[in-house]
Amino acid sequence: MLHKNLIAGEWVAGDTSVNINPSDTNEVVGEFSRASADDVRTAITAAKSALPAWSQSPILVRHAILKKAGDEILARKEELGRLLAREEGKTLPEAIGEVTRAGQIFDFFAGEVLRLSGETLPSVRPGIGIDITREPVGVVGVITPWNFPIAIPAWKIAPALAYGNTVVLKPADLVPGSAWSLIEILHRAGAPAGVVNLVMGRGSVVGQTMLDSPDINALTFTGSTATGKRVALASIEHNRKFQLEMGGKNPFVVLDDADLEVAVEAAANSSFFSTGQRCTASSRLIVTEGIHDPFVAALSRRLERLVVDDALKSGTHIGPVVDESQLRQDTGYIDIGRQEGARLAFGGNRLERATPGFYLEPALFTEATNQMRIAREEIFGPVAAVIRVKDYDEALAVANDTSFGLSSGIATTSLKHATHFKRNAEAGMVMVNLPTAGVDFHVPFGGRKGSSFGPREQGRYAAEFYTSVKTAYTLA
């Protein structure tokens, strides 16, 4: 079956690309049409034409479509989870969890449609009333990455539709299957022609055409820092609203008073689960002197028990890296770490399994410093570096010494240190005795510094990006 683009309510074919299973490179997950620049422009025109009717549509219509989509996603979570695991390499339990989150997001924003509100205030001038309302921002361009191929499209598309916007989605060219399934569900759920458009393909064609279009009123992007800067520059040129999520170099601090078992489990989950391919993953483990050696020994023992294998196999803890290019990047950074003088305490080897795939043993460095490239640059793989510090004050300083600021974590039994860290960690999200990766669907998501720009994603805070505030005065 050829999976086509959805443009103006019609399925449109184009040049074909294949989706390869990173757990078994002999398996083709599916064939997908790539959109041309003209296809993208047609999709944007369709979204612009559909905007007036959709932005004024009854709230029960929007509620019903989002609710129906969410219900189907949840009902098909095992099926869609298998698809996600096959195309991205995430283990089946993690993939099903991601699909579940996508369904919950649609369910949440179906409810938000029925809770749209404003304010009525008195003016400082007698006899005048003021109404403050939120209106749709317009045509929203959505560009999503490969590491969360259904959850991230969901948390961008659901609020966009809930608040009355129309959408043009460009999913990552590497993993189009999950996004295609999501759009197909929305299409059958009753989204009118042009309200949701899917344009798959390369960023150089599809993404660039979206950036160049003056008819996209807002653009939400998750991906690399370099591409995020291009999104920002293009958006400023067109005076459009833009939102960027660009990754992190997240610290996880372990203090002498930490519960060792809690600290090791949180660090292993943060650094290595989902093959380390999460923008919230901890690749800097900042450990105080008193617990350093026991922590490294216990974490190494934990890594020995992790099973790296086919994402669909029962008992697999870590699936493959997403593709050959990402694998080369990961192993390249492992070589860099060695050259910089860090000690490879565990792993880092490419693995062979029953099927050909991009399997990499988790890599743990010790004796790293915060100035090494493996501690400064986002690797986006199962690679972490332990940085030894003398006390809490140094740990906090090292944790904040980064150009990123997405997520930050600490393992401690001290209420004093936990409270101080929550207030002083320079990150958008802080975790205490928990992995730095893993957030709820109904609360704001986002970071500081080079990790994020613009309003937060998810939860009720999503309204800040997907709506525009209007203030109206009336003489009584």
Side-chain angles (χ1 to χ4, degrees):
M1 171 184 172
L2 177 62
H3 299 78
K4 302 176 182 179
N5 295 291
L6 182 65
I7 301 173
E10 301 292 334
W11 294 104
V12 179
D15 293 340
T16 302
S17 66
V18 294
N19 191 359
I20 300 298
N21 181 351
S23 292
D24 181 359
T25 55
N26 290 327
E27 182 192 6
V28 174
V29 178
E31 296 184 350
F32 295 83
S33 292
R34 280 177 167 156
S36 66
D38 285 341
D39 289 333
V40 179
R41 285 187 281 267
T42 300
I44 294 169
T45 299
K48 184 178 181 180
S49 298
L51 180 64
W54 180 250
S55 64
Q56 298 295 323
S57 60
I59 58 174
L60 278 178
V61 171
R62 277 183 262 164
H63 167 81
I65 292 171
L66 294 181
K67 185 69 167 63
K68 186 175 181 181
D71 288 347
E72 180 171 341
I73 292 167
L74 292 173
R76 295 173 58 194
K77 63 184 180 182
E78 284 84 8
E79 171 203 344
L80 295 173
R82 287 186 66 86
L83 169 62
L84 196 159
R86 288 169 62 217
E87 73 169 353
E88 196 270 346
K90 195 168 294 182
T91 65
L92 185 58
E94 288 178 320
I96 292 172
E98 181 180 335
V99 173
T100 300
R101 182 177 176 183
Q104 291 167 335
I105 289 167
F106 272 90
D107 184 64
F108 176 87
F109 282 105
E112 284 297 278
V113 173
L114 304 181
R115 292 188 287 266
L116 297 175
S117 63
E119 293 181 88
T120 298
L121 299 175
S123 172
V124 296
R125 293 169 289 172
I128 295 176
I130 303 173
D131 294 315
I132 302 171
T133 55
R134 288 188 176 274
E135 297 184 350
V137 71
V139 176
V140 176
V142 176
I143 300 177
T144 58
W146 51 259
N147 61 325
F148 284 88
I150 196 167
I152 292 180
W155 84 47
K156 294 177 185 293
I157 293 171
L161 298 180
Y163 296 120
N165 302 280
T166 55
V167 168
V168 178
L169 168 65
K170 183 223 169 297
D173 193 30
L174 188 61
V175 289
S178 296
W180 185 92
S181 295
L182 175 60
I183 296 303
E184 194 268 342
I185 288 170
L186 277 168
H187 179 60
R188 285 189 294 97
V195 169
V196 180
N197 301 271
L198 172 67
V199 282
M200 300 177 288
R202 295 186 178 91
S204 58
V205 176
V206 178
Q208 190 61 50
T209 305
M210 292 171 69
L211 295 187
D212 293 341
S213 174
D215 291 326
I216 289 183
N217 306 112
L219 205 154
T220 175
F221 166 83
T222 299
S224 71
T225 300
T227 304
K229 290 178 179 179
R230 292 178 55 205
V231 171
L233 289 172
S235 296
I236 290 169
E237 177 71 21
H238 293 294
N239 199 30
R240 75 162 66 97
K241 205 171 187 179
F242 63 97
Q243 177 186 60
L244 310 176
E245 291 294 342
M246 298 174 291
K249 195 67 184 173
N250 308 296
F252 184 76
V253 171
V254 181
L255 299 184
D256 286 354
D257 61 28
D259 181 309
L260 184 59
E261 184 177 347
V262 169
V264 166
E265 197 57 38
N269 186 305
S270 297
S271 302
F272 304 110
F273 282 36
S274 294
T275 324
Q277 296 174 157
R278 300 182 286 196
C279 54
T280 50
S282 293
S283 53
R284 292 187 299 144
L285 305 176
I286 302 166
V287 187
T288 51
E289 288 179 328
I291 200 172
H292 178 277
D293 291 353
F295 172 80
V296 169
L299 181 56
S300 296
R301 290 193 298 271
R302 181 71 177 94
L303 295 181
E304 288 174 354
R305 299 195 303 271
L306 293 179
V307 177
V308 181
D309 209 328
D310 190 314
L312 295 180
K313 273 190 178 180
S314 177
T316 296
H317 299 117
I318 299 174
V321 174
V322 70
D323 71 350
E324 183 68 42
S325 175
Q326 186 62 46
L327 181 61
R328 285 197 302 269
Q329 177 170 306
D330 295 347
T331 55
Y333 271 106
I334 292 171
D335 290 340
I336 289 168
R338 286 193 181 106
Q339 294 161 12
E340 290 181 312
R343 183 175 77 88
L344 186 59
F346 182 89
N349 301 304
R350 182 159 185 178
L351 303 174
E352 299 295 329
R353 291 296 181 256
T355 51
F358 308 115
Y359 298 106
L360 180 64
E361 189 178 24
L364 179 67
F365 281 100
T366 60
E367 308 309 322
T369 72
N370 204 48
Q371 301 312 310
M372 293 178 176
R373 286 182 63 189
I374 58 171
R376 306 303 296 180
E377 300 172 11
E378 187 174 39
I379 299 172
F380 222 64
V383 183
V386 178
I387 301 170
R388 188 195 302 258
V389 294
K390 65 178 182 294
D391 55 21
Y392 169 75
D393 290 336
E394 185 181 359
L396 177 63
V398 171
N400 288 337
D401 180 16
T402 174
S403 59
F404 295 101
L406 182 55
S407 186
S408 190
I410 188 170
T412 180
T413 55
S414 166
L415 179 60
K416 172 186 173 182
H417 286 140
T419 301
H420 188 272
F421 190 81
K422 285 191 291 184
R423 292 175 178 168
N424 292 279
E426 296 173 358
M429 297 177 292
V430 180
M431 312 295 187
V432 178
N433 295 321
L434 290 166
T436 55
V439 295
D440 293 339
F441 64 87
H442 67 302
V443 298
F445 175 92
R448 297 163 60 174
K449 303 182 185 179
S451 289
S452 305
F453 182 88
R456 290 290 188 259
E457 300 197 85
Q458 296 197 141
R460 304 192 76 173
Y461 284 76
E464 296 299 324
F465 180 73
Y466 293 100
T467 64
S468 178
V469 175
K470 175 180 283 185
T471 305
Y473 293 83
T474 304
L475 178 64

